[in-house]
Amino acid sequence: MKITAELVEHVSQLSRLRLPQEEKERMTGELEGILAYMEVLNTLDTREVEPLSHIFPIKNVWREDEVIPSQTRQELLKNAPTGNGETFLVPKAVE
Amino acid sequence: MTWETVIGLETHVELATRTKIFCACTTAFGGEPNTHCCPVCMGMPGTLPVVNRKVVEYACRAGLALNCTITRRNRFDRKNYFYPDLPKAYQISQLYLPIARDGHVEIETEGGKDTIRIHELHMEEDAGKLVHDPWTDQTRCDYNRCGVPLIEIVTEPDFRTAEQVIAYLEQLKSTLEYLGVSDCKMQEGSLRCDVNLSVRPAGSRELGTRTEMKNLNSFKAITRAIQYEARRQIELLEEGKRVVQETRRWDDNKDATFSMRSKEDAQDYRYFPEPDLPPLELSEAYLEELRAKQPEMAGARKERYQREYGLPEYDAGLITGQKALVDFFEAAVDLGAPAREVSNWMLGEMMRRLKEEGLEPRQMKLTADNLASLIQMVEEGVINRNTAAKVFRAVFPDNADVRDYVHKHGLEQVQDMSLVKRTVEEVLAEHPDAVADFRQGSQKILGFLIGQTMARLKGKADPRAVSQEVRQQLEG
């Protein structure tokens, strides 16, 4: 897959990353290299291998449906750059 | 040209668990903003989600009831997006391996019976609520809903009319209520529906360009939105224009749909397998156990009500259409009230009163044991039917005890036959003209004389006894 300047622009936008011009150029090359290596991996025959969905061989880790008291709002809102004591406040985001 | 409308539905249903899907915060509706949150549902670094066992069970049971194949090896996927309704900046969902697939639902409308295929059913977490403040031009975020468990049920594009869509949703709602996996309250957003709609020339096999409509909060809104959007698309095509594939928001006040986002910022969610959650493997034994626990659904119950209780098909259908009515009906019957009587009271007076008060059956205070008592009092001859109807209307709002009410208001039927006899004598004596009419063969006048007697006894006599007495005295 060819990594173009437009694609890097698009992906950085999706990731909310503001990259300076020289970094964008560097990224173009690096991403191309990473994808080229994926091509190498793709040459391996994995038809008999089950896809890995988790790095540990564990499954069915679950929790019973029992309520534990939540964090207090005061504690919770301490993490907010801006709040009004009840809600988090963010720049206008309603579609 | 005649056009055909093609519709597919995506329905989000909130599951009736006590806690959220990946943490132990409560799912209770309402609550002060941001009081049902913890580091897990807020996506704080270093936290790990753990699946609520009930969510998996409920999703499986819904899948089984919708005749789906259950995916034995499940996994979650991460849907990435930057929108402040989820503080994690991603939603945990299932893209590649939804828990249930390939189901179907039978529906019935005036147009006949149809099968609606279910494409898939998957588990995911709900997002928070955003409120825009026009004064400060800021958005307020309430994260109480973040992480509340949802199942999303996606149909194939098998609907052609709004009636079919409503029939399907009613059926879905009833099924989920029978299972007890969701309370399906549309007003509280626990059942939400997105409508995918396109139009094509009748007879064509190709699908037209579709739009997706959101913000449909009632069956009425869904019906109106479908009619509006189909007309809008047909008009565009007839003017030689194109339908643009986009998401449109239904505005209930304006009775129209509006474009939400343009194609330029088409969504790219960059899904990938959720690394924080190990896979779920559902054994055949587990599924067998769930199958055994499935309750009797509306269709089977309707047939049984006709067979076992002799209810007319229409009545059985009305009661089994809503789980709250089924629970009420069965509770009253279990208390020994005759099924036909219970059904008649429910579909007559009860429905009338619910409508007058603008209530849903589940919001009603009246209890089954109170109605059973009322029916019993009629059977025992303590009160007559007319009185019983009045008592029903009076106790309905607050579920006042019917026996107390009858006693307090002195509504017991007159048991003293000598009083009935005396009253009839008085009435006949006062209406010699009517008596003469009867003797000349007017049967109609009988009703007048019975009515006069009943009125004098304040409606508390047994109408049959009065009728008999009047006849006897006239003929005797």
Side-chain angles (χ1 to χ4, degrees):
Chain A
M1 187 178 180
K2 179 81 189 137
I3 301 290
T4 60
E6 290 76 47
L7 193 58
V8 171
E9 180 67 41
H10 177 63
V11 173
S12 58
Q13 193 127 59
L14 285 174
S15 324
R16 298 295 189 271
L17 291 173
R18 207 172 282 136
L19 301 176
Q21 190 52 40
E22 68 269 18
E23 218 169 325
K24 268 185 209 163
E25 279 158 24
R26 186 162 58 80
M27 286 289 176
T28 311
E30 284 181 4
L31 285 173
E32 185 119 22
I34 292 167
L35 286 182
Y37 180 61
M38 296 297 149
E39 297 295 323
V40 176
L41 290 181
N42 273 341
T43 58
L44 198 67
D45 183 358
T46 55
R47 275 175 297 186
E48 300 297 314
V49 183
E50 204 178 314
L52 180 79
S53 44
H54 198 267
I55 50 165
F56 297 128
I58 50 171
K59 60 185 182 192
N60 298 355
V61 179
W62 33 37
R63 173 177 59 77
E64 295 307 321
D65 187 26
E66 279 152 21
V67 176
I68 295 174
S70 299
Q71 225 175 349
T72 65
R73 182 157 70 186
Q74 204 186 0
E75 196 65 28
L76 189 78
L77 287 174
K78 274 188 192 163
N79 298 310
T82 335
N84 63 6
E86 291 182 354
T87 60
F88 295 83
L89 290 176
V90 297
K92 178 179 174 177
V94 172
E95 283 173 356
Chain B
M1 186 186 307
T2 37
W3 297 89
E4 179 178 59
T5 308
V6 178
I7 305 164
L9 289 190
E10 291 168 25
T11 311
H12 286 90
V13 179
E14 208 168 84
L15 297 177
T17 56
R18 285 197 283 266
T19 66
K20 293 186 178 182
I21 182 167
F22 300 122
C23 66
C25 288
T26 177
T27 55
F29 181 75
E32 286 289 301
N34 296 305
T35 54
H36 300 166
C37 306
C38 76
V40 175
C41 52
M42 296 303 290
M44 297 304 285
T47 58
L48 278 179
V50 183
V51 179
N52 181 344
R53 179 198 286 266
K54 264 263 136 66
V55 171
V56 179
E57 181 190 320
Y58 284 1
C60 277
R61 293 180 58 195
L64 290 171
L66 299 173
N67 309 299
C68 292
T69 307
I70 304 296
T71 307
R72 301 285 294 276
R73 242 184 109 78
N74 276 271
R75 184 180 86 182
F76 287 95
D77 301 295
R78 194 178 278 197
K79 177 180 178 177
N80 298 280
Y81 67 86
F82 286 96
Y83 188 58
D85 62 352
L86 268 175
K88 291 205 294 275
Y90 58 84
Q91 178 194 33
I92 302 178
S93 181
Q94 292 188 294
L95 178 72
Y96 300 107
L97 293 169
I99 191 162
R101 275 194 273 220
D102 300 332
H104 61 90
V105 174
E106 310 293 333
I107 59 161
E108 198 173 343
T109 58
E110 282 183 16
K113 291 187 178 180
D114 293 285
T115 301
I116 304 301
R117 291 168 300 156
I118 306 288
H119 177 71
E120 67 162 67
L121 179 156
H122 66 253
M123 302 178 277
E124 62 184 30
E125 56 183 332
D126 205 352
K129 191 171 114 189
L130 302 181
V131 179
H132 183 60
D133 183 345
W135 297 104
T136 60
D137 212 29
Q138 279 178 314
T139 296
R140 295 196 291 259
C141 315
D142 171 8
Y143 292 131
N144 283 351
R145 305 313 298 156
C146 274
V148 166
L150 300 177
I151 48 175
E152 180 175 342
I153 303 159
V154 184
T155 74
E156 299 290 348
D158 287 350
F159 303 97
R160 298 292 173 269
T161 65
E163 292 73 41
Q164 290 174 329
V165 169
I166 301 303
Y168 162 81
L169 287 171
E170 270 168 356
Q171 172 110 349
L172 182 66
K173 190 165 174 272
S174 143
T175 301
L176 299 174
E177 282 172 357
Y178 272 86
L179 292 170
V181 303
S182 173
D183 58 24
C184 297
K185 290 182 189 163
M186 279 191 111
Q187 326 81 276
E188 293 182 8
S190 57
L191 190 147
R192 313 190 283 258
C193 193
D194 299 340
V195 174
N196 290 303
L197 186 148
S198 62
V199 297
R200 65 183 174 192
S204 162
R205 299 185 63 90
E206 258 168 78
L207 289 171
T209 307
R210 69 184 157 85
T211 60
E212 181 182 3
M213 284 184 284
K214 288 186 179 289
N215 196 36
L216 301 164
N217 300 321
S218 67
F219 286 172
K220 206 173 105 199
I222 291 167
T223 304
R224 295 226 305 262
I226 288 172
Q227 286 157 354
Y228 173 89
E229 184 60 17
R231 202 167 51 236
R232 189 188 71 88
Q233 292 189 13
I234 291 168
E235 276 169 17
L236 277 175
L237 296 173
E238 287 186 339
E239 285 166 16
K241 294 178 186 157
R242 278 182 329 113
V243 173
V244 179
Q245 182 170 341
E246 60 181 355
T247 304
R248 299 179 68 85
R249 186 177 55 83
W250 169 253
D251 189 326
D252 229 356
N253 299 319
K254 299 202 176 89
D255 238 6
T257 62
F258 295 92
S259 180
M260 273 174 74
R261 28 177 118 89
S262 61
K263 221 176 139 203
E264 283 85 297
D265 46 52
Q267 298 291 319
D268 182 347
Y269 294 121
R270 293 151 295 138
Y271 280 96
F272 60 82
E274 171 57 55
D276 285 347
L277 289 161
L280 294 172
E281 221 170 89
L282 307 176
S283 68
E284 190 49 45
Y286 173 76
L287 294 180
E288 209 36 65
E289 196 184 309
L290 294 185
R291 274 189 207 107
K293 270 208 293 192
Q294 293 289 78
E296 184 185 31
M297 293 296 169
R301 219 176 276 236
K302 178 180 162 186
E303 276 171 30
R304 183 166 62 83
Y305 281 10
Q306 290 172 253
R307 201 174 57 236
E308 218 165 276
Y309 301 128
L311 297 192
E313 184 186 353
Y314 181 76
D315 297 13
L318 283 178
I319 293 177
T320 54
Q322 288 190 59
K323 186 61 180 7
L325 295 181
V326 165
D327 291 343
F328 190 96
F329 174 79
E330 293 189 357
V333 171
D334 284 348
L335 287 165
R340 280 296 285 269
E341 281 294 318
V342 176
S343 162
N344 289 342
W345 278 100
M346 289 178 67
L347 300 177
E349 290 294 341
M350 186 194 281
M351 285 305 184
R352 197 150 37 237
R353 290 294 281 129
L354 285 169
K355 207 167 172 187
E356 280 168 16
E357 306 268 326
L359 292 175
E360 292 288 321
R362 66 169 150 227
Q363 295 169 306
M364 171 176 79
K365 287 195 188 142
L366 185 80
T367 54
D369 62 328
N370 215 9
L371 177 62
S373 296
L374 187 69
I375 292 171
Q376 198 184 4
M377 286 167 89
V378 175
E379 294 208 318
E380 288 167 352
V382 179
I383 51 174
N384 64 35
R385 256 168 212 285
N386 284 334
T387 308
K390 279 180 209 148
V391 172
F392 184 96
R393 286 194 287 272
V395 303
F396 180 85
D398 300 309
N399 194 35
D401 185 88
V402 288
R403 288 192 190 274
D404 286 353
Y405 186 90
V406 166
H407 186 69
K408 209 161 80 193
H409 293 83
L411 299 173
E412 288 95 342
Q413 198 155 267
V414 174
Q415 304 289 351
D416 180 358
M417 274 316 288
S418 67
L419 176 61
V420 173
K421 198 172 166 198
R422 234 171 21 248
T423 313
V424 173
E425 281 166 6
E426 284 166 22
V427 168
L428 296 190
E430 280 168 33
H431 297 95
D433 296 354
V435 174
D437 280 356
F438 179 82
R439 299 231 155 97
Q440 272 158 22
S442 165
Q443 287 286 328
K444 268 196 309 197
I445 209 72
L446 204 59
F448 167 76
L449 293 167
I450 294 168
Q452 286 295 311
T453 312
M454 284 299 282
R456 198 160 294 200
L457 291 166
K458 300 195 170 68
K460 292 188 295 189
D462 175 1
R464 259 175 317 184
V466 170
S467 156
Q468 215 173 357
E469 183 63 30
V470 171
R471 249 175 217 286
Q472 214 161 31
Q473 291 198 20
L474 282 171
E475 283 162 2

